[in-house]
């Protein structure tokens, strides 16, 4: 023991240094990574050169022939393949834009590729295509331009024999055919597409997998914090892979070694879904998504087979495959509406029909309605959507467009969105800020770093897949997400992502949390989009057609409903059948045109050539079934048809063919109290209470007056407007109403979409024009002014005032005819009013939204241009002014300046947007007291002019046309009368069981924002009344006694009732 010492083993560290070792310069080693997968100068020596093991090229293996379809036609497979094909080859070009070319491919796999692991056919003409079998079965889309150019060849074709298939080429790229490479520029009509590739390719699957390994680990090196272990380790792993590849002289063994090195960072399960089975809780739910713009930078016919109805009609083979996947739980139809529609400008009833037609289609074809309203890409969200969603069976809402706001950052990710009536939906906005994610490392990372509702719940949806032009998830998306999940489990720091869950699974979990007490933040009212404000105005005629079509459908349904029950009421028979199919077809066309790039005006010109109005025939048939004749027939008593649900008494113009000196050009409809349905047409007296006058009070100044209003017009502008009932001047001293102004309109980029706040700095008044009298009374007076806008453009505005009618509010009406040939200009009309309020009111669907008239905060200033429907109002205590319109949606109120937007002139994506002739009507309606039913109803009447007809026996039809009426507080609006869905043979359409008997649907809403009571009165033989949802599912029974049904609606409530006959 004593003195002995224990000898330690020597350290494995060599005693002498082998040489200097330097510190890694991380920036250099990170920059080095791109060399391994770069397609530039190193592609022949890096991993790219090893992705493919061989190719079959040329006529010996791929024989091509083509049929080029003339005249931009779209033949079916059978039609196209029966035509004569001519030989073609790689290198040839095809066009022009939007044309279709069918290729017959006769393919034989080379002997040296027959036993390769994985064979694909690669086709790239930088445009879209569709692969068809020889027997006419569509298999797969092709994107072109390096994206989704591959089609996996069947193993059965490894027999050395020739096999035939077809490719349908569409001469447009993923984003149409823009001129000059800028995606939103108008399309080049003569674009040619060169076929660059038509090869049989043997894919090196190990190299392809290593490519994705390296990509995602490289992202970890770049995107994890520089001072983190995770970033350092990722950099070491990726550099080690490159070193092994170089050391192995690019051999297959070096590729396999690279994959082995990658497992140090990724683990062992990235090649299958097993990677998601670690048992660790994920917080990012990745859902594959195919976003298809029905029209945008391509015309309707060039759209991918989008909505399922088109798929069913045009590609039944694919449709059946989709249905099978839905049944197996691998494909989730989602949406809830007919198309991904605009929500700013469609009427309330149009929004209802989007849900009605959409949900009925989903239920009848896939066996289930949607529970989530899916609307990722539209330009703002109406304040009544939560209520309508709930009434359509959906309590969840997904979107993300507000992430595009260019002024304020929307503060929530997951929240309760509350409607005007108090209804709410659970809303989620993907924090990755996209609905077409590429499934990058950064997309997964941002799903947490940009999540704004982490205090309540940390989970989020990651919506990935090629979009806008369709495409959906790709192989690379799936592979990248597997590796992201692997990093989360093996290394950490990256949010854990999972698949194999549905959108409904995600929302189910959120709803359970809410049920268990989690209080999500709330947002009340509209989700205003702080961008794309120009879409309220662009493509004015399309918007006018939309408004007119909505009104026409309202009238058709009202008249057709009554005509279809005429036999019941009269206890006789009727040959008239409710034109359900025609009405449905018309509604579907209108709903299609309300797609979020069509109605807003942000599509190419060809989209607007495709959309238009229909229905005049249906209207005339319904009128004829009710016994009405045209006025010019000369037979029967003159009558007016009132399709609104309240009594009207107003001045109408008699058809010119019937007006004489003895018979004035104007008549009064409805007498002292007016009438619903059919109203009498009475001659106007020359009494002092039924007159309007006009006179030139001094050179160029004209005074128009009736017993309610007096106004002065000078140079086309209104310099004075006096309410004679209280002797109040409405126009501030020195100001001019109906002042036309023009602005320079050059947004930052999105021409058809945007108008930016700085355009207000370029305001320029149009010069006064010459004014002359064109109508001298005594029942209507008018002056007309023609104003020069430029050398190419002019506007002719007629200002009119009718004789006063005691039961009707008086307004000053403007009718404008415009020849518009401007370039990036914005035309508006101003109404300064002597009213003070910090808020203005605007009609929205089924309600009113109030917005600031000041710029106190950036949130206030962001609303420098807003959407309204038939009216906007500025009121103070005791008095107010409303501006009515018949086809406009853009508006602004700044201080006491009310400004209606008329026309824009963007040059992209439609170079001719709004060019040509326009007809516009608007009016100024002063009113004593607060904003009330007078504005709401007068705006309806302004948009629904009475039509004059003749009837052989008006009294015989009057009771039928007024057989359903609404009484009570005037804030209640009976907006729709229609036949019930799935009634007897008159109405039933689709795959739903028929109801026994007939029923009538009434849609009523409270328009002013307060609880209101009323009574439905009917002379029809009603058996019972039920309250329904928008899908017409019957709810509680409502009592009816002696033909009266008492109802009560909360503020801004939309209620639907069914009358069972």
């Amino acid at each position: 023991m004593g003195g002995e010492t224990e000898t330690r083993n020597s350290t494995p560290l060599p005693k002498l240094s082998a040489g200097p070792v330097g510190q890694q310069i991380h920036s250099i080693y990170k920059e080095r990574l791109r060399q391994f997968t770069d397609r530039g100068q190193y592609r022949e020596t890096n991993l790219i050169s090893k992705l493919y093991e061989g190719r079959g090229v040329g006529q010996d293996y791929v024989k091509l022939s083509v049929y080029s379809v003339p005249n931009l036609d779209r033949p079916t497979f059978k039609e196209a393949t029966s035509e004569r094909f001519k030989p073609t080859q790689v290198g040839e070009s095809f066009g022009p834009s939007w044309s279709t070319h069918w290729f017959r491919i006769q393919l034989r796999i080379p002997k040296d590729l027959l036993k390769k692991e994985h064979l694909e056919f690669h086709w790239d003409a930088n445009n879209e295509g569709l692969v068809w079998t020889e027997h006419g079965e569509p298999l797969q889309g092709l994107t072109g331009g390096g994206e989704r150019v591959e089609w996996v060849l069947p193993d059965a074709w490894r027999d050395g024999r020739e096999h035939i298939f077809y490719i349908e080429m569409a001469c447009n790229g993923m984003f149409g055919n823009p001129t000059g490479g800028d995606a939103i520029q108008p399309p080049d009509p003569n674009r040619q597409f060169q076929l660059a590739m038509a090869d049989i390719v043997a894919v090196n699957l190990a190299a392809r997998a290593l490519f994705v390994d390296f990509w995602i680990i490289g992202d970890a090196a770049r995107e994890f914090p520089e001072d983190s272990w995770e970033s350092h380790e990722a950099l070491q792993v990726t550099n080690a892979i490159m070193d092994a590849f170089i050391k192995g002289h690019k051999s297959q063994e070096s590729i396999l070694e690279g994959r082995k090195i990658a497992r140090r960072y990724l683990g062992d399960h990235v090649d299958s879904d097993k990677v998601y089975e670690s048992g660790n809780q994920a917080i990012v739910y990745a859902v594959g998504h195919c976003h298809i713009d029905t029209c945008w930078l391509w015309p309707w016919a060039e759209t991918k087979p989008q909505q399922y109805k088109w798929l069913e009609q045009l590609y039944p083979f694919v449709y059946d495959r989709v249905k099978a996947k839905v049944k197996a739980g691998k494909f989730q139809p989602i949406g809830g509406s007919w198309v991904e529609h605009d929500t700013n400008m469609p009427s309330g009833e149009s929004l209802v029909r989007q849900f009605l037609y959409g949900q009925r289609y989903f239920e009848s074809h896939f066996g289930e309605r949607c529970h989530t309203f899916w609307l990722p890409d539209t330009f703002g969200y109406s304040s009544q959507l939560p209520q309508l969603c709930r009434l359509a069976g959906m309590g969840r809402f997904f979107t993300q467009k507000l992430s595009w706001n260019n002024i304020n950052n929307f503060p929530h990710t997951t929240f309760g969105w509350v409607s005007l009536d108090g209804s709410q939906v659970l809303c989620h906005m993907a924090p990755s800020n996209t609905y077409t994610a590429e499934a990058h490392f950064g997309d997964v990372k941002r799903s947490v770093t940009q999540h704004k509702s982490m205090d309540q719940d940390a989970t989020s949806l990651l919506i990935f897949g090629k979009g806008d032009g369709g495409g959906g998830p790709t192989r690379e998306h799936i592979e990248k997400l597997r590796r992201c999940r692997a990093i989360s489990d093996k290394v950490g720091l990256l949010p854990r992502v999972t698949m194999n869950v549905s959108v409904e699974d995600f929302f189910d979990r959120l709803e359970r949390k809410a049920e268990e007490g989690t209080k999500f933040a709330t947002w009340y009212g509209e989700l205003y989009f702080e961008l794309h404000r120009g879409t309220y105005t662009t493509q004015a005629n399309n918007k006018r057609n939309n408004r007119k079509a909505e009104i026409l459908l309202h009238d058709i349904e009202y008249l057709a409903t009554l005509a279809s029950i005429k036999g019941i009421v009269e206890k006789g028979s009727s040959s008239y059948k409710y034109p359900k199919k025609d009405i449905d077809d018309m509604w579907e066309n209108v709903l299609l045109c309300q797609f979020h790039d069509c109605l807003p005006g942000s599509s190419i010109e060809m989209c607007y050539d495709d959309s238009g109005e229909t229905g005049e025939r249906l209207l005339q048939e319904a009128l004829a079934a009710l016994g009405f004749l045209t006025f010019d027939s000369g037979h029967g008593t003159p009558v007016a048809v009132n399709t609104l649900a309240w009594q009207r008494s107003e001045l109408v113009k008699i058809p010119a063919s019937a007006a004489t000196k003895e018979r004035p050009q104007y008549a009064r409809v409805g007498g002292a109290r007016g009438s619903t349905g059919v109203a009498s047409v009475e001659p106007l007296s020359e009494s002092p209470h039924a007159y309007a006058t006009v006179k030139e009070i001094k050179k160029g100044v004209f005074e128009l007056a009736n017993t309610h209003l007096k106004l002065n017009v000078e140079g086309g502008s209104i310099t004075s407007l006096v309410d004679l009932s209280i002797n109040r001047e409405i126009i501030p001293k020195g100001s001019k109403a109906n002042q036309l102004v023009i602005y320079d309109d050059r947004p930052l980029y999105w021409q058809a979409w945007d108008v930016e706040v700085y355009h207000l700095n370029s305001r320029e008044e149009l010069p006064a024009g010459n004014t002359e009298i064109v109508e001298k009374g005594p029942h209507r007076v008018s002056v007309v002014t023609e104003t020069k806008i430029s050398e190419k453009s002019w506007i002719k505005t007629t200002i009119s005032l009718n004789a006063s009618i005691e039961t009707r509010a008086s307004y000053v009406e403007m009718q404008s005819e415009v020849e518009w040939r401007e370039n990036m200009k914005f035309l508006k009309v101003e109404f300064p009013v002597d009213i003070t309020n910090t808020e203005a009111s605007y009609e929205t669907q089924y309600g009113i939204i109030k917005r600031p008239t000041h710029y106190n905060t950036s949130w206030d200033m962001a609303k420098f241009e807003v959407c309204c429907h038939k009216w906007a109002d500025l009121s103070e205590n005791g008095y107010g002014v409303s501006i009515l319109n018949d086809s406009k949606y853009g508006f602004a109120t700044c201080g006491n300046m009310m400004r209606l937007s008329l026309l824009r002139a963007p040059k992209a994506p439609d170079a001719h947007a709004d060019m040509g002739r326009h007809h516009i009507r608007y009016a100024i309606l002063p009113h004593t007291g607060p904003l009330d039913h007078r504005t709401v109803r007068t705006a309806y009447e302004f948009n629904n002019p009475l039509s004059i007809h003749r009837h052989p026996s008006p009294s015989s039809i009057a009771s039928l046309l007024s057989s359903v009426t609404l009484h009570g507080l005037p804030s209640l609006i009976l907006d729709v009368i229609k036949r019930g869905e799935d009634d007897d043979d008159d109405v039933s359409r689709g795959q739903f069981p028929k109801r026994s008997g007939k029923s009538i649907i009434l849609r009523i809403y409270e328009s002013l924002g307060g609880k209101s009571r009323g009574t439905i009165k009917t002379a029809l033989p009603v058996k019972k009344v039920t309250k329904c949802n928008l899908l017409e599912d019957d709810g509680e029974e409502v009592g009816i006694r002696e033909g009266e049904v008492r109802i009560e609606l909360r503020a801004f409530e939309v209620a639907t009732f069914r009358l069972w006959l």
Side-chain angles (χ1 to χ4, degrees), residues 132-322:
W132 295 76
T133 70
E134 184 180 11
H135 306 294
E137 298 166 339
L139 298 179
Q140 179 195 310
L142 301 169
T143 301
E147 293 276 3
R148 203 191 291 270
V149 299
E150 72 279 2
W151 174 55
V152 178
L153 292 174
D155 284 339
W157 289 13
R158 296 170 181 261
D159 56 6
R161 298 177 181 176
E162 182 179 272
H163 298 272
I164 296 175
F165 65 102
Y166 292 85
I167 291 179
E168 179 187 7
M169 174 195 284
C171 284
N172 59 272
M174 181 72 163
F175 292 95
N177 291 310
T179 303
D182 184 345
I184 71 165
Q185 290 305 306
D188 175 358
N190 297 306
R191 186 177 175 186
Q192 297 288 311
F193 294 85
Q194 185 179 53
L195 178 58
M197 184 189 305
D199 300 349
I200 301 167
V201 178
V203 179
N204 184 339
L205 293 182
R208 179 180 275 180
L210 181 59
F211 180 91
V212 186
D213 291 344
F214 190 87
W215 183 350
I216 296 302
I217 302 173
D219 280 349
R222 288 180 287 266
E223 297 201 33
F224 276 150
E226 287 192 7
D227 60 355
S228 68
W229 165 83
E230 293 85 354
S231 175
H232 283 262
E233 180 66 10
L235 188 60
Q236 303 314 304
V237 168
T238 47
N239 274 275
I241 291 171
M242 293 181 71
D243 293 340
F245 185 76
I246 294 169
K247 185 177 181 181
H249 304 289
K250 304 191 300 178
S251 65
Q252 189 68 9
E253 289 73 19
S254 72
I255 291 171
L256 296 174
E257 178 63 20
R259 293 222 67 203
K260 184 177 178 181
I261 295 169
R263 292 191 190 102
R264 288 167 28 194
Y265 208 82
L266 300 176
D268 298 326
H269 303 302
V270 296
D271 293 328
S272 73
D273 286 347
K274 192 175 180 181
V275 72
Y276 297 115
E277 298 174 4
S278 65
N280 297 318
Q281 181 62 45
I283 60 172
V284 179
Y285 295 78
V287 177
H289 174 232
C290 181
H291 176 73
I292 302 176
D293 282 328
T294 308
C295 72
W296 179 30
L297 303 176
W298 41 85
W300 300 109
E302 197 51 62
T303 300
K304 300 260 188 173
Q306 44 82 5
Q307 320 302 355
Y308 299 101
K309 183 174 181 178
W310 284 350
L311 198 65
E312 180 184 13
Q313 292 173 338
L314 302 176
Y315 304 92
F317 174 76
V318 178
Y319 178 74
D320 289 341
R321 292 171 63 195
V322 168

Side-chain angles (χ1 to χ4, degrees), residues 299-355:
W300 300 109
E302 197 51 62
T303 300
K304 300 260 188 173
Q306 44 82 5
Q307 320 302 355
Y308 299 101
K309 183 174 181 178
W310 284 350
L311 198 65
E312 180 184 13
Q313 292 173 338
L314 302 176
Y315 304 92
F317 174 76
V318 178
Y319 178 74
D320 289 341
R321 292 171 63 195
V322 168
K323 287 193 73 172
K325 294 294 184 183
V326 171
K327 189 173 182 179
K330 296 183 178 180
F331 192 101
Q332 182 187 1
I334 196 166
S337 55
W338 189 247
V339 293
E340 286 191 33
H341 55 95
D342 177 72
T343 78
N344 287 314
M345 290 168 284
S347 67
E349 189 60 27
S350 286
L351 295 183
V352 169
R353 301 307 173 95
Q354 287 284 356
F355 292 138

Side-chain angles (χ1 to χ4, degrees), residues 667-972:
R668 179 174 174 172
V669 166
R673 297 185 60 240
S675 179
T676 59
V678 59
S680 61
V681 176
E682 304 171 356
L684 278 167
S685 68
E686 303 257 355
S687 72
H689 299 291
Y691 74 89
T693 62
V694 60
K695 57 185 176 181
E696 187 171 12
I697 56 176
K698 63 179 181 180
K699 181 67 174 177
V701 180
F702 298 84
E703 180 187 274
L704 289 69
N706 62 20
T707 56
H708 292 167
L709 299 174
K710 182 175 69 173
L711 63 147
N712 290 345
V713 177
E714 183 175 1
S717 298
I718 300 172
T719 56
S720 173
L721 176 58
V722 178
D723 184 336
L724 298 175
S725 66
I726 57 172
N727 196 30
R728 174 166 178 158
E729 174 63 65
I730 294 160
I731 310 301
K733 187 175 181 179
S735 297
K736 295 179 289 185
N738 197 46
Q739 174 64 57
L740 293 164
V741 290
I742 198 164
Y743 299 82
D744 189 72
D745 187 15
R746 300 171 190 268
L748 296 175
Y749 178 67
W750 300 97
Q751 283 195 44
W753 293 261
D754 286 348
V755 57
E756 292 296 351
V757 65
Y758 53 75
H759 88 285
L760 295 171
N761 300 333
S762 64
R763 176 185 179 275
E764 181 181 347
E765 292 186 5
L766 291 183
N770 293 323
T771 302
E772 61 182 30
I773 298 171
V774 290
E775 283 188 287
K776 297 182 178 180
H779 305 122
R780 179 180 172 94
V781 293
S782 303
V783 295
V784 65
T785 305
E786 185 165 345
T787 302
K788 183 177 180 180
I789 299 173
S790 69
E791 293 302 318
K792 297 180 179 179
S793 303
W794 51 262
I795 181 168
K796 185 184 296 183
T797 302
T798 302
I799 301 177
S800 302
L801 185 67
N802 285 350
S804 305
I805 296 178
E806 60 272 16
T807 59
R808 178 180 172 83
S810 281
Y811 54 73
V812 181
E813 179 181 350
M814 277 65 69
Q815 295 188 53
S816 295
E817 181 181 7
V818 189
E819 179 66 18
W820 183 246
R821 299 287 177 184
E822 295 305 294
N823 183 8
M824 300 182 193
K825 296 293 183 181
F826 200 155
L827 180 66
K828 307 186 185 186
V829 61
E830 294 180 340
F831 295 91
V833 293
D834 190 14
I835 302 288
T836 302
N837 201 325
T838 57
E839 289 182 325
S841 299
Y842 303 85
E843 186 189 40
T844 187
Q845 299 97 339
Y846 298 130
I848 297 170
I849 186 161
K850 294 184 177 181
R851 300 183 178 108
T853 61
H854 54 77
Y855 297 158
N856 283 1
T857 70
S858 59
W859 292 88
D860 300 326
M861 189 182 72
K863 297 178 180 177
F864 62 84
E865 180 86 1
V866 297
C867 184
C868 76
H869 279 231
K870 297 185 291 294
W871 57 264
D873 182 86
L874 184 63
S875 292
E876 62 186 21
N877 182 41
Y879 205 82
V881 174
S882 300
I883 305 298
L884 317 180
N885 76 83
D886 78 335
S887 60
K888 297 299 166 187
Y889 296 91
F891 208 93
T893 306
C894 182
N896 70 337
M897 177 66 76
M898 306 178 75
R899 190 182 297 120
L900 178 65
S901 296
L902 301 180
L903 293 169
R904 297 185 69 225
K907 299 304 173 187
D910 178 1
H912 305 103
D914 283 317
M915 296 298 98
R917 193 64 56 91
H918 298 268
H919 295 87
I920 306 166
R921 288 177 64 237
Y922 53 94
I924 179 169
L925 171 67
H927 57 84
T928 56
L931 168 66
D932 60 18
H933 70 280
R934 292 170 296 175
T935 290
V936 174
R937 294 192 172 194
T938 302
Y940 265 100
E941 294 166 4
F942 190 76
N943 280 267
N944 295 63
L946 291 164
S947 59
I948 306 300
H949 300 268
R950 293 181 184 272
H951 198 282
S953 178
S955 60
S956 68
I957 201 68
S959 59
L960 175 62
L961 292 184
S962 60
S963 58
V964 179
T965 54
L966 179 63
H967 304 262
L969 289 179
S971 62
L972 294 175

Side-chain angles (χ1 to χ4, degrees), residues 543-777:
K543 291 170 169 61
R544 185 174 186 270
N545 290 342
N546 175 74
R547 180 84 63 89
K548 302 308 178 189
E550 289 173 334
I551 293 168
L552 180 59
L553 274 163
H554 167 277
D555 291 354
I556 290 170
E557 289 186 323
Y558 165 73
L559 294 168
T561 294
L562 297 176
S564 71
I565 62 171
K566 185 170 179 281
I568 295 177
V569 174
E570 297 178 352
K571 298 180 180 180
S573 61
S574 172
S575 61
Y576 181 83
K577 299 292 185 183
Y578 191 79
K580 176 64 171 170
K581 180 183 182 303
D582 289 334
I583 288 174
D584 283 348
D585 288 344
M586 188 175 174
W587 263 118
E588 288 177 8
N589 287 335
V590 170
L591 300 179
L592 179 62
C593 292
Q594 290 174 348
F595 177 73
H596 69 259
D597 276 309
C598 182
L599 180 56
S602 49
S603 291
I604 63 171
E605 185 173 8
M606 292 171 75
C607 295
Y608 304 105
D609 290 341
D610 286 351
S611 61
E613 295 182 77
T614 60
E616 190 61 33
R617 173 181 60 84
L618 299 182
L619 184 66
Q620 296 306 319
E621 288 175 355
L623 286 167
L626 293 167
F628 289 99
L629 307 170
T630 63
F631 189 89
D632 290 339
S633 69
H635 303 292
T637 304
V639 291
V641 176
N642 174 20
T643 59
L644 298 179
W646 54 84
Q647 297 173 343
R648 297 171 67 174
S649 181
E650 57 194 82
L651 202 68
V652 296
K653 190 171 185 177
I654 296 296
S657 59
T660 64
K661 287 185 178 181
E662 293 74 27
R663 191 181 186 95
Q665 188 178 3
Y666 294 93
R668 179 174 174 172
V669 166
R673 297 185 60 240
S675 179
T676 59
V678 59
S680 61
V681 176
E682 304 171 356
L684 278 167
S685 68
E686 303 257 355
S687 72
H689 299 291
Y691 74 89
T693 62
V694 60
K695 57 185 176 181
E696 187 171 12
I697 56 176
K698 63 179 181 180
K699 181 67 174 177
V701 180
F702 298 84
E703 180 187 274
L704 289 69
N706 62 20
T707 56
H708 292 167
L709 299 174
K710 182 175 69 173
L711 63 147
N712 290 345
V713 177
E714 183 175 1
S717 298
I718 300 172
T719 56
S720 173
L721 176 58
V722 178
D723 184 336
L724 298 175
S725 66
I726 57 172
N727 196 30
R728 174 166 178 158
E729 174 63 65
I730 294 160
I731 310 301
K733 187 175 181 179
S735 297
K736 295 179 289 185
N738 197 46
Q739 174 64 57
L740 293 164
V741 290
I742 198 164
Y743 299 82
D744 189 72
D745 187 15
R746 300 171 190 268
L748 296 175
Y749 178 67
W750 300 97
Q751 283 195 44
W753 293 261
D754 286 348
V755 57
E756 292 296 351
V757 65
Y758 53 75
H759 88 285
L760 295 171
N761 300 333
S762 64
R763 176 185 179 275
E764 181 181 347
E765 292 186 5
L766 291 183
N770 293 323
T771 302
E772 61 182 30
I773 298 171
V774 290
E775 283 188 287
K776 297 182 178 180

